[in-house]
Amino acid sequence: MDYYTLKLFKLTYLNVDLEKSFVTHITDDKSILSIFLKSKMKACKICGCYNIKVRSTTKTKVNHSIYSDLKIELYIHRRKYFFSDCGHYFTEENPIVSSNRNISIMTDFRILELLKDPTNTYSKVASFTSTSITYVQNVFDKYVNIKIGNLSTVICIDEVYAKRLTKHKYCCVLYAPQWKKIVDILPSRHKLNLIDYFARIPISEKDKVEYISMDLWDSYKEMAQLCFPKAKVCADPFHIIKHLLECFRKIRIDVMKRFEHLKHEDHNFYWLYKKYFKFLETDLSKLPDSMIKVSHSGMYLSKYQIIEYMLELDDKLALAYLLKEEYRNFNSKATIDNACEWLDELILKFKQSCIKEYIPFWHILMDWHDEIINSFNRINNHKITNGPMERVNRDIKNLFSISFGSTNFERVRNRIMFCINDNSPILGYRKKLTNKRTGKPRGKYNK
């Protein structure tokens, strides 16, 4: 056996006797390695005598699954020493595995490497490494135990639906967009639980936070004002627009239903609102520039003509569309200097429109007035938003979906942070205990 073979099987850290060791390739996807170690023992560990003899050797089979497409059977040959002066026996240490185990340390690192990929399930990793699912879970629990990260200048807070994972319906996720890392995942988004959690964080750490971005959940705002008195609360613009579109959609559906009796006729009134409703809700820049054939009438119209046609049919819809686009213009072009005055004008216009569907929306604008203005502050020339947080939520939901309804919160939390956060740390030693929960005690067994 040569050095390059050891490098191929990732065994260069061992003190291997290359002349005695050998490798046998059974097939293209299976190899057998026999490893003999160089002798290191010079004197007895107890009395220090030097009269040493090799009594025999012992062979240990080790699972060394470092490649998914190659099965490796590794045999470690260790010497049994006998000291004739004191009568003590010693067996060489096995540097590839820990005590009372038959799976190599490199296999553990291979398992952690595969678990870094969020698309790999525990069962898939177990099949790749020729181990059991329980062993893969225990390795992950014993090497990965991620603590809460440091708080950054901007913190995004949002929730993810996880009814099976905890006794609460939603988990709360804290994210640092400047570092692109998850700070922590909490099992509940309830106000009292959040206040209790942040009360344990030192004040010096919480004073680092200058902006907290959130959706329109009142508990988040009350918690932020209490726990982070020096930070500015920012309302996420995406959720404001989402509420605006929900109100506008009710108006559009109400108009469409007035022409429902023309559904079975070749008339544009109903089918324009039914098929091209996205034109009223989407930015014009994102719509196609080519002419579009309206199938029921055979007419070729541009996106501007279709929108104009729909708005001409109802004055209320036209006014609602105009207000919607005006708020969108405010959201994209306003600055921290003119946002307050501009927002006050918009609230007045929504009030004076007398559109009942818009009443909940302008109430939101009033309740979150200061928070909406705070979102126009810029960090590194970027507005304060929960946009990066939404991408992370998508990855978290994917990890939930491959967990098949797992109810072990600590394990799922560590897996999410291990996969999403770059350079996630692993412990330099194995914990004695895993995150496996204790089940119910077994009852009496009757034959």
Side-chain angles (χ1 to χ4, degrees), residues 104-364:
S104 68
I105 299 173
M106 294 304 298
T107 303
D108 290 354
F109 290 129
R110 174 62 176 166
I111 289 172
L112 295 174
E113 181 184 357
L114 292 172
L115 289 177
K116 188 71 176 175
D117 186 353
T119 61
N120 286 336
T121 61
Y122 292 111
S123 59
K124 185 187 291 187
V125 174
S127 64
F128 284 161
T129 56
S130 301
T131 56
S132 66
I133 299 176
T134 303
Y135 181 82
V136 171
Q137 292 174 338
N138 288 339
V139 166
F140 179 78
D141 291 343
K142 290 180 178 181
Y143 279 110
V144 180
N145 186 26
I146 302 177
K147 303 297 183 181
I148 177 176
N150 295 327
L151 301 180
S152 63
T153 306
V154 181
I155 292 294
C156 297
I157 182 171
D158 203 357
E159 67 279 347
V160 180
Y161 181 79
K163 186 176 180 180
R164 293 184 179 180
L165 189 59
T166 65
K167 63 180 180 180
H168 304 285
K169 196 172 183 179
Y170 291 94
C171 289
C172 181
V173 183
L174 304 177
Y175 184 73
Q178 294 171 292
W179 301 336
K180 299 181 180 180
K181 288 185 178 181
I182 295 177
V183 177
D184 205 354
I185 301 176
L186 311 180
S188 171
R189 68 167 183 170
H190 291 177
K191 180 175 65 175
L192 295 180
N193 294 336
L194 294 176
I195 293 174
D196 180 65
Y197 171 81
F198 285 111
R200 303 176 186 179
I201 299 177
I203 297 177
S204 58
E205 186 71 17
K206 291 188 286 188
D207 287 344
K208 297 178 182 178
V209 181
E210 298 180 8
Y211 302 98
I212 302 178
S213 179
M214 61 186 66
D215 56 15
L216 307 181
W217 181 249
D218 291 330
S219 296
Y220 290 158
K221 182 169 68 169
E222 295 171 8
M223 175 276 301
Q225 292 172 347
L226 180 63
C227 299
F228 298 88
K230 294 184 179 180
K232 293 182 178 180
V233 179
C234 305
D236 180 36
F238 169 79
H239 288 85
I240 302 291
I241 297 292
K242 180 181 177 183
H243 279 279
L244 175 60
L245 292 179
E246 288 176 356
C247 296
F248 179 78
R249 193 173 295 118
K250 294 178 182 178
I251 303 172
R252 191 264 307 170
I253 293 175
D254 182 62
V255 175
M256 181 186 68
K257 288 183 177 180
R258 275 191 262 150
F259 300 103
E260 194 170 6
H261 63 283
L262 302 175
K263 180 166 59 174
H264 301 291
E265 301 180 13
D266 292 333
H267 206 288
N268 287 336
F269 290 166
Y270 177 82
W271 293 107
L272 281 176
Y273 293 114
K274 183 70 174 178
K275 187 174 182 179
Y276 302 105
F277 69 92
K278 288 287 185 183
F279 284 25
L280 295 175
E281 301 176 3
T282 311
D283 291 337
L284 291 177
S285 59
K286 298 180 181 179
L287 296 176
D289 293 328
S290 58
M291 301 296 287
I292 301 168
K293 182 180 180 180
V294 182
S295 57
H296 285 77
S297 63
M299 300 170 59
Y300 285 87
L301 303 174
S302 66
K303 59 184 179 182
Y304 302 102
Q305 291 173 323
I306 292 175
I307 293 175
E308 185 178 358
Y309 200 147
M310 287 190 283
L311 297 181
E312 286 179 353
L313 297 177
D314 190 86
D315 294 336
K316 178 182 176 182
L317 181 65
L319 178 59
Y321 180 82
L322 182 63
L323 291 173
K324 174 183 69 70
E325 290 301 311
E326 191 168 349
Y327 186 85
R328 270 187 164 166
N329 184 46
F330 157 78
N331 184 66
S332 60
K333 296 182 179 180
T335 62
I336 189 63
D337 298 325
N338 61 5
C340 183
E341 182 179 355
W342 197 342
L343 181 59
D344 291 339
E345 293 178 1
L346 283 173
I347 294 175
L348 183 60
K349 289 182 179 180
F350 275 97
K351 279 185 178 181
Q352 293 176 348
S353 67
C354 298
I355 300 176
K356 64 178 182 179
E357 289 82 0
Y358 274 158
I359 293 177
F361 179 70
W362 61 259
H363 275 294
I364 289 175

Side-chain angles (χ1 to χ4, degrees), residues 12-77:
T12 53
Y13 66 95
L14 298 179
N15 191 20
V16 178
D17 190 342
L18 296 178
E19 295 182 358
K20 294 183 179 180
S21 302
F22 60 91
V23 58
T24 304
H25 298 287
I26 306 299
T27 60
D28 292 338
D29 59 350
K30 183 178 181 181
S31 298
I32 297 178
L33 276 76
S34 295
I35 299 296
F36 291 83
L37 304 175
K38 291 181 180 179
S39 178
K40 289 184 176 181
M41 187 165 286
K42 303 288 185 178
C44 179
K45 296 180 180 179
I46 298 177
C47 65
C49 63
Y50 291 91
N51 193 0
I52 183 173
K53 295 180 181 179
V54 178
R55 185 67 177 267
S56 62
T57 59
T58 179
K59 183 172 67 172
T60 305
K61 183 179 179 181
V62 177
N63 181 349
H64 190 61
S65 301
I66 57 173
Y67 299 108
S68 302
D69 55 348
L70 179 61
K71 185 177 181 181
I72 303 171
E73 291 185 6
L74 181 61
Y75 293 91
I76 305 297
H77 297 264

